[in-house]
Amino acid sequence: MLSAFTARPIIELKPRDKSKIEAILAYGDRLLVGLNTGSLRIYRVNETTEESEVEDGVLGSDGVAPPTQKPIPVDLMREQEKFSKYKIEQLAIVKEANLLVSLSNGYVSTHDLQTYELQETLAKTKGASAFAVTSNIVKDSSTGVPSIVSRLAVAVKRRLLLWSWHDMELASDTNELMLVTGIKTLTWATGTKLIVGLSSSYVLVDVESNVVVDIVGPGSIGGAPGQDGGRFGGVGVASMSYIGIAGTAPKPLATRLGEGELLLAKDINTLFIDSNGSSLGRRQIPWSIAPEAIGYSYPYLLALQATKGTLELRNPETLNLLQTISLPHANQLHVPQPNVSLAHAGKGFLVMSERIIWRMRALDYDSQIDALVAREKLDEAISLLGMLEDALIRDKEGRLREIKMVKAQKLFDQKRFRESLELFTDVSAPPERVIRLFPPLISGREVPTVNEQAQNPELLHDILEQNNESAVDAGKASSNHKVDADPTKPSIRSSYNDKDDIVRDSEARANQGTLEGRDLKLATEELRVFLVSARTRLQRYINPDGTLKSNNSSTISALDEGSQPEVNSLLIKKSAVSLTGREFQLRDTAKLVDTTLFRAYMFASPSLAGPLFRIDNFCDPDVVNEKLIETGRYNDLVDFFFGKKLHRSALELLKKFGEKDEENEAASQMAGPQRTVAYLQNLPPEMIDLILQFAEWPLKKDPELGMEIFLADTENADTLPRPAVLDFLRGIDQKLEVKYLEHIIHDLNDTTADFHQRLVDVYIEGLKSNDFEDPKQQSFWTEKTLDFLRTSEYYQPYKALRQVSNDDPNVYEVRAIVLSKMGQHRQALDIYVFKLRDSEKAEEYCNQIHLTETTQRSSPAQSRRPSVLDPEDTPPSIYHTLLSLYLSPPPPHKPQWEPALNILAKHGARMPASSTLDLIPEVLPIKDLESYFCGRIRSANTIVNEGRITAGLRSSLVFNEEAKLRLGDGIPGGNGGRNRRVVITEDRVCGVCHKRFGGSAIKVLPNPLWLFEPLMVTERRPASGMFDFSS
């Protein structure tokens, strides 16, 4: 069992002394002992070091040290023989009032704390059975000034009497409460709340508001309010024997535990409550017999078993028995106040019998933790570390984490895999330490198993070095704590870093057998959860490409200093101290975690391995390649190669299975070019050489599908180097080149002149070759060519003209469009009129040219029709050129009267009359020119009518503006016209010279402005340029 305390007798009455010890009180270095004779003995306690105590005596098996002569534990300062006429039953102090309070002969008395002389016997306390004292710092609600408030509670049968001191002054009033039954014990829960143990129950009394709350608990703790009747009311089964022997039932006991927690105990029943009297819902302490006294010495729960003559130490959280100390005939327990504070930690407490007083000396907490771990009381060690303050133990966080990992390893050995791996996850255990628990099927060759570590001295040395690294900080003793001088005492470091221990651990594992079958699968499933958590921790420090996250300064600092526990928990070896070394270690850890996670997936759930490859990972390519090929999971292997950017290996694998005619069942999804095309579409433009190398076989096998590599609506396809793609496609098939050119020009709006020129050349070559399957295809190609020639502005017409022959009927219209682009309209019309003999196309050509020229010459000032129908400076229009070709054709062509008259009828008004009539031969009858003259007349009338309408609109506009100036616009706050009124005050200034008006003459403008009258002559700027003073 644990040896948290050692009992050392400090006072032992001599055999000839017939007195008996009845009460004790310890404060400071003083120890007051009240005897049954009424005498009070005052001792001075001498502080002794732990080393001298351990050196002076040898501890017995029961934890009791025999009395020693050196050093002297106490010195008798004096004895107050006439302190009381009767035995002293209880002692306490009110330090702020310099008072010593005693209970003797049923009265509570106060004495001077320095001289121990009687000051007053409280007459109201006649028949008192117990009292309790408390002191607290309280802030005044009105002023906020803190003061010390001490309270004395005295139990007199059913009455509860209360006195209080504010700083050093006793309050004049005394509070009194009457309870339902006799009061047995009193315990202060807080500075204002008192736990009162009655004959059959407990109540909580608020001394400020006088509110009494019944505490309901199990068994003899108390039932419903007012239940007290019966001879054995509130008495448990174990207590009935006491009634038969001694005639009294066990007292209701109570003690404060941690902050805001209390323990009630009566008989063998217990109840944990808070400071408001509410149950905390915790189980009862498994006592076999009722204790004589209970207490709390941070952080242990104390119970004195008088019948056994033993003192029990329990963990207040787990309630397990940790130590039993034999103290014959001990009957009282005294814990110095305050019982919950750092100042009390390690100072011990006192236990007394009628003849002996023992001082309980606590061992240092580090030794207690080591002892618990050595005895495999891991839950107790974890609980104790959780209760202790950080200042009381070295490297609390690191030791707590290490013990939890040891516990997790024990759980793993017991095949409680879920609990084990959850605990490993909670403490952020090093991944290597957890992976080492698994056989090579899961852990692989990267991490040696425990058996291999025991057999290989070098591996064993590395593991010992790694384990010692986590205990370096714990090995540095703090100045506030003392290290156990006994080297034979077990410690957590010596228990788990020795070679013999590791060998024994490996032998135990060998005896238990290696994980296999169902156990291995269950353990692997839980391992996956741990590894996923480890991946998340790693992602805080490294990028997917293995570099450190430079945007996190705390990350760099943690890695550089190597002092962060979370960083150290991720490193396989902690010997590297440089930033670069730790970066490499993090990458190695990430590789280990991801590779092991892959093996776990492949063993337990192979279908989940695929999603792992689709995210950034650090899996070992050799391990993954070997395992996936072995299991025939080629599709997952391709995904893995893509994630690791091993694109050539992936494409070679896709080509291998894609080109085969027979379908492989294991690689059915990789048959054909579909998978290769999809893979190439996801490659960046920088890898254009690799894309073009592996795009050839899909283009040859399925051109339509293969072109999706370059035509897909993706960012990668749109940003590929286009000249390289064009050269590549030209070498395979010119049709593919045309398709790609049309895509980048029409869909992506590429204006590169070379691309436009190349498409023009390909179009013209296609027309010249006349290699079409049917007329429909030829017509489609021709329309496509002509449309592109008309709309594109980025090719060179003179280059296209070189390829177009003057006598090739297939390219007549092409030549005409090219000539039009070069501005040679007469030659273009010559082709339409004499070679194509298509008057409709000739007219349409003129319409387009006329529209283009009109748009280019148009402007706001020229948007109106000319006032003169046929101005002399009007240049000849394109229609005039076409008319001249119809009426005056070059030889050997003959005039074409019908299309010429059609042009005159439709577009005669757009041509100068003089030059047009000069072209008309005299032999042409006037009747045929009727349409021409009617059109000219209608055009002249249109101009006249438009002028009249414009003049009327302008007159209306002038009238409206004049009305606004005279009458105003009718809008509130707007222009008031001549009806506008202006108030000139002393603050008004001129809008031009900014001088005050005074008595000068002024003029008000139509807008909200005014200025001196002389300035109206010189100031002719627009009103909008002046200052607005309307506000």
Side-chain angles (χ1 to χ4, degrees):
M1 300 183 72
L2 179 65
S3 297
F5 288 90
T6 57
R8 182 175 300 279
I10 59 174
I11 296 178
E12 186 174 1
L13 300 182
K14 297 179 180 181
R16 63 176 180 272
D17 190 349
K18 304 303 181 182
S19 303
K20 295 181 180 180
I21 301 174
E22 295 291 342
I24 59 176
L25 173 65
Y27 67 95
D29 62 346
R30 293 290 186 268
L31 175 59
L32 308 184
V33 180
L35 304 178
N36 64 337
T37 60
S39 298
L40 179 68
R41 294 179 181 177
I42 298 93
Y43 294 90
R44 181 180 64 193
V45 180
N46 299 320
E47 289 293 337
T48 58
T49 61
E50 285 188 42
E51 289 79 356
S52 62
E53 291 182 5
V54 174
E55 187 177 345
D56 288 341
V58 180
L59 299 181
S61 60
D62 56 358
V64 180
T68 59
Q69 299 297 328
K70 292 183 180 181
I72 301 176
V74 296
D75 295 324
L76 178 62
M77 305 296 294
R78 60 181 292 190
E79 181 174 356
Q80 192 79 7
E81 295 182 353
K82 297 181 180 180
F83 185 80
S84 175
K85 296 180 181 180
Y86 303 93
K87 68 176 181 178
I88 304 172
E89 301 177 22
Q90 189 177 352
L91 294 171
I93 63 170
V94 182
K95 187 175 181 180
E96 293 71 23
N98 197 32
L99 292 178
L100 173 63
V101 184
S102 67
L103 172 62
S104 178
N105 193 30
Y107 283 93
V108 174
S109 304
T110 59
H111 308 261
D112 185 272
L113 188 57
Q114 303 299 327
T115 62
Y116 307 105
E117 296 294 335
L118 177 66
Q119 288 188 351
E120 181 183 3
T121 299
L122 303 179
K124 290 185 179 181
T125 63
K126 181 180 180 181
S129 57
F131 69 85
V133 175
T134 184
S135 297
N136 299 275
I137 298 177
V138 180
K139 283 188 177 182
D140 187 88
S141 57
S142 59
T143 62
V145 177
S147 61
I148 299 178
V149 177
S150 301
R151 288 186 171 90
L152 169 65
V154 181
V156 181
K157 298 181 181 179
R158 293 173 53 193
R159 292 183 302 150
L160 178 63
L161 304 177
L162 297 168
W163 284 267
S164 62
W165 287 264
H166 292 269
D167 291 331
M168 299 174 58
E169 298 180 1
L170 175 66
S172 58
D173 56 336
T174 302
N175 195 6
E176 181 176 342
L177 292 175
M178 185 68 69
L179 302 181
V180 293
T181 60
I183 301 173
K184 300 298 182 182
T185 58
L186 297 173
T187 305
W188 286 100
T190 64
T192 58
K193 294 182 180 180
L194 186 67
I195 297 292
V196 180
L198 306 178
S199 299
S200 61
S201 63
Y202 289 87
V203 294
L204 178 67
V205 178
D206 190 328
V207 298
E208 291 185 334
S209 60
N210 294 337
V211 175
V212 180
V213 178
D214 291 281
I215 300 175
V216 180
S220 58
I221 294 295
Q227 291 185 357
D228 184 33
R231 178 180 176 184
F232 299 103
V235 180
V237 176
S239 302
M240 298 181 67
S241 61
Y242 301 153
I243 297 176
I245 298 174
T248 58
K251 292 190 302 181
L253 306 176
T255 184
R256 292 175 60 179
L257 300 177
E259 188 67 25
E261 294 185 12
L262 296 98
L263 171 64
L264 308 182
K266 186 175 184 181
D267 197 0
I268 60 173
N269 298 306
T270 58
L271 178 66
F272 290 91
I273 61 172
D274 59 16
S275 57
N276 295 320
S278 301
S279 174
L280 298 178
R282 298 172 58 184
R283 66 185 181 92
Q284 297 192 48
I285 300 175
W287 280 324
S288 58
I289 60 175
E292 180 70 19
I294 61 174
Y296 179 76
S297 179
Y298 181 84
Y300 297 107
L301 176 63
L302 311 174
L304 183 61
Q305 302 286 357
T307 57
K308 292 183 177 181
T310 58
L311 176 67
E312 294 182 354
L313 269 72
R314 294 181 181 269
N315 186 325
E317 289 187 349
T318 64
L319 306 183
N320 293 329
L321 180 62
L322 299 179
Q323 184 180 7
T324 300
I325 303 175
S326 177
L327 300 172
H329 309 295
N331 55 15
Q332 285 193 35
L333 188 65
H334 176 71
V335 179
Q337 295 295 330
N339 58 357
V340 182
S341 69
L342 292 180
H344 169 62
K347 286 193 174 181
F349 53 95
L350 302 176
V351 181
M352 56 167 277
S353 67
E354 293 180 350
R355 307 288 298 176
I356 303 176
I357 298 177
W358 290 274
R359 184 182 186 187
M360 311 303 294
R361 169 65 66 178
L363 301 181
D364 65 281
Y365 293 116
D366 293 288
S367 300
Q368 295 181 35
I369 298 297
D370 292 340
L372 288 172
V373 174
R375 292 171 174 79
E376 297 188 356
K377 302 290 185 180
L378 302 179
D379 289 327
E380 298 298 334
I382 293 172
S383 176
L384 181 58
L385 280 170
M387 291 186 292
L388 290 174
E389 297 289 341
D390 295 347
L392 297 178
I393 195 164
R394 299 185 299 270
D395 189 26
K396 174 184 175 181
E397 184 179 353
R399 301 192 69 183
L400 181 61
R401 177 172 175 268
E402 180 64 26
I403 295 174
K404 286 184 177 180
M405 286 192 288
V406 173
K407 177 185 176 182
Q409 187 166 336
K410 295 295 181 182
L411 293 173
F412 191 90
D413 295 339
Q414 299 169 10
K415 297 185 179 181
R416 297 162 63 181
F417 304 119
R418 173 165 295 183
E419 299 175 48
S420 173
L421 271 300
E422 286 179 353
L423 188 54
F424 274 128
T425 303
D426 292 340
V427 300
S428 302
E432 181 204 15
R433 181 168 182 171
V434 179
I435 296 171
R436 194 188 309 140
L437 302 174
F438 288 80
L441 178 63
I442 303 300
S443 62
R445 298 186 181 90
E446 291 84 352
V447 180
T449 63
V450 179
N451 292 333
E452 292 174 349
Q453 295 166 13
Q455 297 172 3
N456 191 332
E458 295 181 359
L459 294 177
L460 185 60
H461 174 74
D462 291 341
I463 299 303
L464 289 174
E465 184 177 333
Q466 177 184 349
N467 291 342
N468 287 331
E469 183 73 20
S470 63
V472 168
D473 294 335
K476 298 178 180 178
S478 174
S479 59
N480 296 330
H481 304 283
K482 298 176 182 178
V483 182
D484 192 353
D486 189 356
T488 63
K489 290 185 179 180
S491 67
I492 187 173
R493 295 172 293 281
S494 62
S495 299
Y496 292 92
N497 291 338
D498 294 339
K499 176 179 178 180
D500 294 338
D501 290 338
I502 295 181
V503 174
R504 286 194 299 269
D505 187 64
S506 64
E507 292 175 353
R509 290 179 180 278
N511 295 332
Q512 294 175 359
T514 58
L515 285 176
E516 58 184 2
R518 182 174 179 272
D519 290 339
L520 179 57
K521 188 169 184 178
L522 292 175
T524 304
E525 290 177 352
E526 299 302 328
L527 176 64
R528 293 183 310 181
V529 180
F530 170 80
L531 293 176
V532 170
S533 175
R535 292 188 84 251
T536 304
R537 287 187 287 144
L538 283 165
Q539 290 171 1
R540 302 174 188 172
Y541 301 100
I542 57 176
N543 294 311
D545 58 354
T547 59
L548 291 178
K549 289 189 174 180
S550 58
N551 59 342
N552 191 343
S553 59
S554 61
T555 299
I556 302 298
S557 176
L559 290 174
D560 197 12
E561 297 175 4
S563 59
Q564 298 296 329
E566 185 174 3
V567 177
N568 287 336
S569 69
L570 294 171
L571 301 180
I572 296 178
K573 295 181 180 180
K574 304 177 180 62
S575 57
V577 295
S578 64
L579 180 62
T580 304
R582 293 187 176 274
E583 181 179 352
F584 287 142
Q585 289 293 324
L586 281 176
R587 281 202 292 267
D588 291 341
T589 303
K591 180 180 178 181
L592 172 64
V593 169
D594 285 353
T595 305
T596 306
L597 182 59
F598 162 72
R599 290 194 184 96
Y601 279 140
M602 292 301 298
F603 176 76
S605 303
S607 59
L608 297 179
L612 176 63
F613 303 145
R614 297 184 184 96
I615 60 177
D616 297 318
N617 62 84
F618 293 90
C619 293
D620 188 346
D622 296 334
V623 175
V624 175
N625 188 27
E626 177 184 356
K627 196 69 176 179
L628 292 181
I629 291 179
E630 177 184 343
T631 56
R633 302 183 68 85
Y634 299 104
N635 196 49
D636 290 339
L637 183 57
V638 171
D639 292 338
F640 173 73
F641 282 148
F642 181 81
K644 303 299 289 184
K645 297 183 180 180
L646 301 174
H647 302 301
R648 182 173 295 276
S649 300
L651 290 170
E652 289 175 351
L653 186 64
L654 289 172
K655 183 179 180 181
K656 174 183 176 181
F657 290 99
E659 289 183 332
K660 289 183 178 180
D661 296 333
E662 64 278 2
E663 185 174 340
N664 191 336
E665 295 182 0
S668 57
Q669 297 180 356
M670 301 169 62
Q674 293 86 352
R675 192 76 172 82
T676 301
V677 171
Y679 192 99
L680 292 173
Q681 286 177 337
N682 291 301
L683 294 183
E686 296 78 15
M687 310 191 69
I688 183 62
D689 296 335
L690 189 65
I691 295 174
L692 299 180
Q693 178 182 350
F694 287 94
E696 184 174 356
W697 77 267
L699 287 170
K700 292 181 177 178
K701 193 166 188 177
D702 189 346
E704 189 70 22
L705 179 62
M707 283 301 295
E708 289 299 316
I709 301 172
F710 311 106
L711 305 183
D713 188 15
T714 62
E715 183 178 358
N716 289 340
D718 295 346
T719 55
L720 289 175
R722 293 169 185 174
V725 175
L726 281 175
D727 295 340
F728 170 73
L729 295 176
R730 187 183 305 121
I732 297 178
D733 191 346
Q734 192 179 57
K735 294 180 181 179
L736 302 180
E737 179 189 13
V738 173
K739 192 171 185 178
Y740 184 71
L741 282 170
E742 292 175 345
H743 169 70
I744 62 176
I745 292 175
H746 299 316
D747 297 339
L748 303 183
N749 299 320
D750 194 320
T751 59
T752 305
D754 293 341
F755 297 157
H756 285 252
Q757 187 63 47
R758 177 58 187 167
L759 186 57
V760 168
D761 295 343
V762 174
Y763 280 157
I764 294 176
E765 290 175 4
L767 290 176
K768 290 167 63 177
S769 63
N770 199 20
D771 185 14
F772 301 104
E773 297 178 358
D774 50 40
K776 185 177 181 181
Q777 184 181 10
Q778 181 181 11
S779 176
F780 175 74
W781 187 272
T782 303
E783 289 297 328
K784 186 166 56 173
T785 304
L786 298 178
D787 182 67
F788 183 71
L789 288 171
R790 291 191 188 100
T791 56
S792 177
E793 300 292 338
Y794 302 101
Y795 66 92
Q796 300 293 333
Y798 71 91
K799 292 183 179 180
L801 187 62
R802 295 175 185 174
Q803 301 185 51
V804 180
S805 176
N806 194 23
D807 54 359
D808 187 354
N810 295 327
V811 294
Y812 279 161
E813 191 168 359
V814 172
R815 185 176 179 84
I817 294 175
V818 173
L819 290 171
S820 174
K821 287 285 186 178
M822 299 174 67
Q824 300 178 11
H825 302 300
R826 186 174 185 86
Q827 297 181 22
L829 287 173
D830 184 271
I831 294 174
Y832 283 115
V833 174
F834 300 114
K835 293 185 177 180
L836 294 176
R837 297 184 179 276
D838 192 337
S839 59
E840 293 182 358
K841 287 186 177 182
E843 183 181 355
E844 178 63 26
Y845 176 83
C846 292
N847 290 338
Q848 292 179 359
I849 299 301
H850 176 75
L851 181 62
T852 303
E853 293 176 351
T854 303
T855 304
Q856 293 176 352
R857 293 196 305 264
S858 63
S859 65
Q862 299 174 349
S863 60
R864 297 174 298 169
R865 289 178 176 267
S867 58
V868 182
L869 181 60
D870 192 10
E872 296 181 357
D873 57 348
T874 302
S877 66
I878 188 64
Y879 298 102
H880 186 275
T881 303
L882 178 59
L883 183 62
S884 64
L885 289 177
Y886 283 143
L887 298 179
S888 303
H893 303 290
K894 297 181 181 181
Q896 301 179 28
W897 305 108
E898 183 176 355
L901 294 175
N902 186 36
I903 292 297
L904 287 172
K906 293 181 179 181
H907 308 287
R910 296 175 178 173
M911 296 181 289
S914 58
S915 57
T916 302
L917 293 176
D918 292 341
L919 293 175
I920 299 175
E922 296 179 356
V923 297
L924 187 64
I926 297 300
K927 182 180 180 180
D928 295 340
L929 298 174
E930 180 180 0
S931 299
Y932 169 70
F933 290 119
C934 289
R936 296 289 297 186
I937 294 172
R938 282 197 297 271
S939 178
N941 291 336
T942 299
I943 294 174
V944 173
N945 292 335
E946 284 184 356
R948 293 175 179 174
I949 293 173
T950 301
L953 291 175
R954 290 185 178 278
S955 299
S956 177
L957 180 61
V958 171
F959 178 79
N960 290 336
E961 291 297 325
E962 186 176 357
K964 287 182 181 180
L965 293 175
R966 293 177 178 273
L967 304 178
D969 52 14
I971 300 175
N975 183 17
R978 292 191 174 183
N979 294 327
R980 180 176 172 226
R981 293 176 174 83
V982 178
V983 178
I984 303 300
T985 63
E986 294 180 355
D987 297 331
R988 298 293 186 179
V989 296
C990 176
V992 176
C993 64
H994 306 293
K995 295 180 180 179
R996 296 185 183 276
F997 290 120
S1000 304
I1002 63 172
K1003 284 194 175 182
V1004 179
L1005 299 181
N1007 61 347
L1009 298 177
W1010 49 86
L1011 63 161
F1012 289 109
E1013 184 176 7
L1015 294 178
M1016 286 294 296
V1017 180
T1018 58
E1019 183 60 39
R1020 295 302 182 186
R1021 292 180 296 174
S1024 59
M1026 298 185 182
F1027 295 92
D1028 187 353
F1029 295 95
S1030 59
S1031 58

